[in-house]
Amino acid sequence: MALEIDNIRNQFPQLERKVHDRPLIYLDNAASTLKHISVIEALNNHYTNDVANIHRGVHYLSEHGTIQYEQTRDSIQDLLNAESRCEIIFTKGTTDSLNLVAASFVPHYVKKDDVILISTMEHHSNIVPWQIQAEKIEAKVKEIPITDDGDIDEEAYVELLKEGNVKLVSMAHISNSLGTINDIKKYISLAHDHGAYFCVDAAQSIAHEKVDVQDLNCDFLAFSSHKMFGPTGFGVLYGKEKLLESMPPYQGGGDMIDVVTIEKTTYNELPHKFEAGTPHIAGGIGLKPAIDFLIDTDLNVIKKYEKELLDYATQKITEIEKVQVIGTAKQKASVLSFVVDGAHPHDLGTLLDRQGVAIRTGHHCTQPLMKRFNVSATARASFSLYNTKEEIDIFIKALNKALNFL
């Protein structure tokens, strides 16, 4: 099965616009994907026809909205192959999901002098929450080093586990800066063998390959809607039911309660125990058509096509003198980070933008990773299923022109 690229591109209206009088070449998908037309229509329909608060309402709009919102939970359960829908917690995004685990899980499972392991390649959202909680309970956050290619140093990882007292490992499935696809199932198994729990940051993998939480056997997994063609401000935390049951609420407020008195409050059952207050209703409703689009398109086909784009772009960019690709792991997703001798990434990004090409420049919220490769920032082109080899050719031509200017 092959992707019908022209048909797919027609389903993303943002691709029709121009930037600086040039057709938009959008290569910033690791930061956020474009929005599918069905998502836009769902949001428009909700705000035009169905606006009402959900859960506990008895009127038609409330009940209708509740059904739509909860159907998204069912879709996510199917997408992840979760055992129960109560294991699907709605949040504001990956960052919020990881903070939930840090704030609710860590104080009750991690004690003084225990260890939380994270890798050098982690996004700041998968570093800072653990540091905040570890400081409170005098636990330790230790680093799993990576190789020069951008892979996890597996020997070092095992040695850290063998040192003992490791209670939690949190790791990206796919690196947002390098594109490295970690052998997450293996690393989860190793953690469990040494008595540690495992949390997966799936922000970069959820729209690029099949994620099966039962097959992975992860304890937690987090991702964001906006990186899978859905609305911003909405995300998901998967957690094993037994663990979620044992954890206290992350926030207090409406809907997460059972009975409230001035003296004491009892809490709602899962998943609502972790969903305080009026949620991002439109975001939840808008995510379902994005999931439907991914499933209908076939994640295996998407992964294969995006690999072709990455290989093509890598070949083309390495032909340019002075370009150094940062992250050369054998297993990579569609992320291409690079630096150019004598050219600052921000300057490259600005000059490419003037030619209609959108890339991301900076440290990509991975400052420890930048330090590991002895760079302050990189330029990053990241590809999705609506990108084409022709767009890559335009990107390479624009890059050459920018370098000639610099």
Side-chain angles (χ1 to χ4, degrees):
M1 179 180 175
L3 294 178
E4 297 179 0
I5 300 303
D6 289 342
N7 180 46
I8 287 174
R9 288 176 63 84
N10 288 334
Q11 297 173 53
F12 290 88
Q14 301 93 341
L15 292 172
E16 296 176 4
R17 73 161 300 165
K18 290 188 175 183
V19 175
H20 303 302
D21 295 322
R22 296 172 182 264
L24 171 65
I25 308 297
Y26 187 80
L27 304 179
D28 193 23
N29 296 284
S32 192
T33 54
L34 302 179
K35 308 310 166 196
H36 191 262
I37 186 64
S38 64
V39 173
I40 298 168
E41 290 172 349
L43 293 173
N44 182 64
N45 181 68
H46 172 74
Y47 284 124
T48 302
N49 299 309
D50 291 334
V51 171
N53 213 329
I54 59 173
H55 298 143
R56 304 179 307 283
V58 296
H59 62 83
Y60 175 82
L61 289 182
S62 178
E63 291 185 338
H64 181 58
T66 300
I67 290 170
Q68 289 182 300
Y69 187 79
E70 291 300 330
Q71 282 175 343
T72 300
R73 202 184 309 270
D74 295 330
S75 292
I76 295 169
Q77 181 190 351
D78 291 341
L79 180 71
L80 299 180
N81 189 33
E83 189 171 354
S84 169
R85 73 189 309 275
C86 74
E87 297 177 320
I88 307 302
I89 310 299
F90 288 157
T91 67
K92 293 182 291 185
T94 306
T95 299
D96 192 35
S97 296
L98 294 171
N99 273 276
L100 191 163
V101 179
S104 184
F105 173 85
V106 169
H108 296 272
Y109 283 86
V110 181
K111 306 303 179 186
K112 180 179 179 181
D113 295 326
D114 283 343
V115 175
I116 299 170
L117 293 182
I118 55 175
S119 82
T120 310
M121 70 177 72
E122 301 310 317
H123 189 282
H124 295 164
S125 295
N126 203 23
I127 299 175
V128 181
W130 313 117
Q131 291 174 334
I132 291 172
Q133 296 303 320
E135 184 176 353
K136 291 179 181 179
I137 59 179
E138 298 182 66
K140 302 172 183 177
V141 176
K142 291 187 177 182
E143 175 185 6
I144 306 166
I146 62 174
T147 67
D148 291 342
D149 291 333
D151 282 312
I152 294 291
D153 186 332
E154 192 171 312
E155 282 190 20
Y157 175 48
V158 172
E159 287 303 311
L160 285 165
L161 290 171
K162 286 181 178 178
E163 288 178 6
N165 291 338
V166 177
K167 293 297 172 68
L168 178 68
V169 181
S170 194
M171 187 185 296
H173 190 175
I174 294 177
S175 165
N176 74 302
S177 286
L178 303 176
T180 302
I181 304 175
N182 287 317
D183 190 351
I184 208 77
K185 184 177 179 179
K186 182 177 184 179
Y187 298 150
I188 291 169
S189 180
L190 286 169
H192 288 167
D193 288 345
H194 291 83
Y197 295 96
F198 203 104
C199 179
V200 180
D201 175 356
Q204 295 297 329
S205 60
I206 194 67
H208 302 282
E209 60 180 72
K210 178 64 178 172
V211 176
D212 185 326
V213 293
Q214 291 195 68
D215 179 58
L216 293 175
N217 195 26
C218 55
D219 300 294
F220 301 101
L221 183 139
F223 63 90
S224 297
S225 164
H226 75 96
K227 294 185 190 290
M228 55 187 299
F229 316 115
T232 55
F234 196 85
V236 172
L237 172 67
Y238 159 82
K240 288 182 176 176
E241 184 176 359
K242 184 177 180 180
L243 288 175
L244 293 174
E245 287 283 10
S246 69
M247 292 158 52
Y250 172 46
Q251 296 175 319
D255 207 37
M256 52 74 64
I257 57 87
D258 177 26
V259 175
V260 177
T261 68
I262 298 300
E263 294 75 26
K264 182 176 176 60
T265 295
T266 56
Y267 305 124
N268 205 344
E269 59 187 18
L270 293 174
H272 305 294
K273 180 175 77 169
F274 291 104
E275 298 177 358
T278 298
H280 181 11
I281 301 167
I285 292 171
L287 177 55
K288 186 180 185 302
I291 294 170
D292 293 341
F293 168 70
L294 278 171
I295 293 173
D296 291 344
T297 308
D298 191 329
L299 280 158
N300 291 324
V301 175
I302 292 171
K303 182 178 181 180
K304 181 180 178 182
Y305 176 72
E306 291 176 346
K307 178 66 163 55
E308 292 175 4
L309 292 178
L310 176 66
D311 290 346
Y312 185 77
T314 302
Q315 175 193 338
K316 291 290 184 179
I317 205 169
T318 51
E319 293 173 356
I320 302 175
E321 189 178 356
K322 296 183 179 181
V323 168
Q324 177 191 357
V325 174
I326 304 295
T328 55
K330 289 183 179 179
Q331 298 297 320
K332 280 190 62 173
S334 50
V335 172
L336 182 59
S337 287
F338 61 96
V339 293
V340 180
D341 289 346
H344 195 284
H346 293 329
D347 293 334
L348 289 176
T350 299
L351 291 171
L352 287 172
D353 174 64
R354 298 302 299 182
Q355 299 177 72
V357 180
I359 66 168
R360 180 72 46 165
T361 63
H363 55 64
H364 315 297
C365 289
T366 56
Q367 287 180 309
L369 180 66
M370 298 295 117
K371 183 179 179 181
R372 167 65 176 79
F373 286 99
N374 197 31
V375 295
S376 61
T378 69
R380 184 187 70 189
S382 49
F383 314 106
S384 188
L385 77 171
Y386 39 64
N387 292 126
T388 65
K389 290 181 180 179
E390 290 76 18
E391 287 185 317
I392 292 172
D393 288 337
I394 295 172
F395 158 56
I396 295 298
K397 183 179 180 180
L399 179 58
N400 275 309
K401 184 175 180 180
L403 293 176
N404 289 334
F405 180 83
L406 292 171

